[in-house]
Amino acid sequence: MTIGVVGMGMSGLRTAMLLEGRGYDVKLFEARGRPGGRLHTIDEGHGTLYEAGGEWIDSDHFRIIELLKEFDMEPEARPTWPQRVVFRGKTATEDEIWNNALEDDLRVEAAARELCRDLKAPAWANTDHAELDQRTLGDFLREHTQSDEGLWWVTAKYRSDEGDDLDKIGLLGWLSGYMNYLDREGDVMSAYRVPGGFRGLCEKMVASLRTTPCYGAVLHKVSQDEGGLWLHFERSKERVDHVVLTLPPPALERVIFEPALTVRKRCAVEACGMSRAVKISWEFDRAWWIDDGWGGSMLNDGPLQQTWDGGLGESPVMTAYICGSQAAEWARLGDPVMAGLYELHQLCPQASEHFVRGWWHDWVTDKFALGAFSHLAPRYVLEHMEAIALPESRIHFAGEHTASWVGFIEGAVESAERVVKEVEAATG
Ligand SMILES: Cc1cc2nc3c(=O)[nH]c(=O)nc-3n(C[C@H](O)[C@H](O)[C@H](O)COP(=O)(O)OP(=O)(O)OC[C@H]3O[C@@H](n4cnc5c(N)ncnc54)[C@H](O)[C@@H]3O)c2cc1C
């Protein structure tokens, strides 16, 4: 029994490993020339190493933590410096935030917890909460905050995980993710990184496989006839018994299916929101933020939105992570690296003095991702979410967008576990 797996991001790699472990022959295809997909550790040489894509693991992302352990890799704890917070020129830290912001934060949290009490899993089972599905997270935050500081603070905090403007995020979808956090103690978000970056993990996953992956294989068409199920690439056509497609939704939309996918599936793929997130990374000749008694993490109300110490090697690197319409504005600039350095200089004048070189990573125009990660847009949960993961005859779907941990690396691994059970059930 041969199973095709298309896409070698975290979901495709984990799917291939699990299928081989259950005795299937796997054929693995990837459009890019490397594994990892939206996990992309960049090594610029001379000790300059950073993540251009997915980076952080929360401490309750147990699947990815277990996977690292399987390869004898220990997740590295986030530095304990408190995050700096800058709003309208005033500076605070996240653990000593202004009182009005803290009160608003607590009000939002209490309101979210209250709404979660009535919700069930999976998210699309909440058919009696259509009004929540129609509302946006942005509206909800405006309703439960009273100060400008508070509204900005909660917006900045939640935007980071959603990866886009909060008026694009459906409230029911957000609450169904928030339910994952209800039992969390303390701040366990962005708790770990992978030492040396995700590249090492992805390479180890590839090396553990029996199959030889096929790189540079862009899937154009999936067809089925009496002869079987065919995957059509630019220069070849492969026959498989079942296929697992892990392409992000906008990339999936570009594939032709003969016979066509159901209308329900096509609508779900089209309606799945893709967040706009970009990164700027700057290398410096010294970690001036450490000299300054600060860890480099900052949330600010300027166009840079969020920064952290992004260096995974010896050279100091600071990364800015920008989401939503501001990300789209950065993408329009001729030289976002230098424009970003100018903005960073406004916040931290030492930055320009120590600058060496920098890089820009735009996932919105990346042709095999077309967005950073998926989010649950208004009306998506009740109208479409259930259909996104459903198989269609011998075609199966995985990827972070098909998981309950939507958008996360953890979701990509979760989707692999789910789809492998599905293939097993379908193949007896
Ligand atoms: C800037 C950024 C920051 C992020 N930060 C975090 C974070 O801190 N924590 C976190 O948990 N998550 C984060 N994420 C999200 C995380 O990276 C993704 O959820 C996860 O890597 C998705 O894995 P996947 O396998 O589902 O998809 P992908 O990694 O996209 O894998 C799909 C694969 O399919 C391939 N493909 C596409 N089209 C075709 C085709 N036609 N033919 C063949 N192959 C094709 C792609 O090249 C890709 O390799 C971030 C993402 C970005 C972009």
Side-chain angles (χ1 to χ4, degrees):
M1 179 76 63
T2 303
I3 315 293
V5 177
V6 186
M8 286 176 67
M10 181 48 69
S11 56
L13 289 172
R14 189 58 176 153
T15 301
M17 278 177 70
L18 294 174
L19 286 171
E20 284 195 349
R22 282 158 179 75
Y24 290 97
D25 287 328
V26 172
K27 286 185 180 173
L28 188 52
F29 305 95
E30 167 57 49
R32 301 178 204 261
R34 60 165 181 87
R38 283 171 279 164
L39 299 177
H40 191 22
T41 312
I42 306 238
D43 185 349
E44 294 288 352
H46 310 289
T48 305
L49 201 67
Y50 63 92
E51 299 285 15
E55 184 159 352
W56 297 99
I57 301 170
D58 291 358
S59 54
D60 51 2
H61 289 177
F62 301 118
R63 293 179 181 88
I64 183 70
I65 292 172
E66 272 306 306
L67 184 59
L68 284 165
K69 289 201 182 128
E70 224 175 281
F71 288 102
D72 293 324
M73 296 173 85
E74 201 51 50
E76 190 173 75
R78 179 198 183 102
T80 50
W81 310 78
Q83 178 158 240
R84 184 177 280 192
V85 179
V86 184
F87 178 71
R88 293 185 184 159
K90 293 186 297 182
T91 302
T93 56
E94 62 183 334
D95 51 356
E96 287 182 15
I97 194 87
W98 309 288
N99 278 344
N100 49 1
L102 181 63
E103 281 161 17
D104 279 341
D105 195 352
L106 294 174
R107 251 190 291 275
V108 166
E109 200 183 310
R113 280 179 179 272
E114 186 57 30
L115 288 173
C116 282
R117 277 159 47 120
D118 287 343
L119 299 183
K120 343 180 227 292
W124 58 83
N126 295 291
T127 45
D128 43 348
H129 290 287
E131 80 293 350
L132 295 179
D133 200 29
Q134 284 157 22
R135 295 191 64 198
T136 70
L137 175 55
D139 276 342
F140 175 73
L141 297 186
R142 280 187 288 274
E143 186 188 331
H144 293 284
T145 50
Q146 294 177 0
S147 66
D148 290 351
E149 280 87 347
L151 178 58
W152 169 73
W153 166 242
V154 292
T155 301
K157 243 176 75 163
Y158 293 121
R159 182 177 52 201
S160 175
D161 265 2
E162 301 304 323
D164 212 317
D165 300 334
L166 300 187
D167 286 329
K168 288 199 169 276
I169 311 298
L171 182 55
L172 180 58
W174 178 74
L175 288 168
S176 63
Y178 193 85
M179 285 167 75
N180 289 326
Y181 305 141
L182 291 181
D183 298 329
R184 278 186 175 180
E185 281 178 21
D187 188 3
V188 286
M189 309 279 286
S190 304
Y192 301 113
R193 271 193 293 213
V194 178
F198 273 103
R199 188 179 67 171
L201 174 64
C202 294
E203 284 171 356
K204 285 185 179 190
M205 291 173 83
V206 174
S208 76
L209 295 170
R210 289 194 300 276
T211 186
T212 305
C214 186
Y215 292 104
V218 181
L219 181 72
H220 290 297
K221 186 161 95 173
V222 178
S223 67
Q224 296 183 68
D225 57 28
E226 330 60 74
L229 177 60
W230 296 93
L231 307 178
H232 302 254
F233 302 93
E234 227 156 64
R235 281 181 291 273
S236 66
K237 184 174 152 186
E238 299 277 346
R239 193 192 164 284
V240 292
D241 295 304
H242 283 250
V243 67
V244 178
L245 302 179
T246 70
L247 286 54
L252 196 57
E253 268 187 82
R254 293 179 168 182
V255 177
I256 297 165
F257 290 86
E258 284 176 1
L261 296 176
T262 59
V263 172
R264 190 174 176 220
K265 172 70 86 180
R266 279 183 281 154
C267 288
V269 171
E270 203 180 312
C272 183
M274 278 304 269
S275 288
R276 297 166 292 173
V278 296
K279 278 186 173 178
I280 308 174
S281 293
W282 304 276
E283 181 185 334
F284 296 98
D285 61 12
R286 59 186 301 145
W288 46 266
W289 51 96
I290 307 276
D291 299 343
D292 211 18
W294 166 54
S297 290
M298 169 173 58
L299 276 175
N300 70 88
D301 62 341
L304 285 183
Q305 292 185 1
Q306 189 170 10
T307 65
W308 57 74
D309 185 330
L312 296 168
E314 282 149 33
S315 304
V317 173
M318 180 173 273
T319 292
Y321 169 72
I322 305 149
C323 309
S325 45
Q326 276 181 324
E329 278 169 32
W330 281 100
R332 276 194 284 273
L333 296 183
D335 189 349
V337 170
M338 293 313 288
L341 184 67
Y342 172 81
E343 291 297 337
L344 188 62
H345 174 88
Q346 308 306 308
L347 295 158
C348 318
Q350 312 92 308
S352 40
E353 198 184 316
H354 295 287
F355 173 69
V356 178
R357 53 187 178 155
W359 303 272
W360 157 254
H361 296 282
D362 178 0
W363 289 93
V364 184
T365 54
D366 177 290
K367 62 180 178 176
F368 299 120
L370 297 152
F373 44 88
S374 62
H375 64 246
L376 308 177
R379 295 190 166 79
Y380 176 78
V381 170
L382 295 185
E383 290 179 25
H384 303 289
M385 192 177 177
E386 187 179 6
I388 196 98
L390 293 178
E392 302 235 337
S393 106
R394 286 174 289 155
I395 307 170
H396 306 263
F397 300 86
E400 53 82 9
H401 56 285
T402 66
S404 66
W405 282 102
V406 164
F408 290 100
I409 301 158
E410 178 74 0
V413 183
E414 177 200 328
S415 74
E417 292 176 4
R418 189 257 313 145
V419 86
V420 167
K421 283 191 196 137
E422 191 181 287
V423 170
E424 274 188 305
T427 56

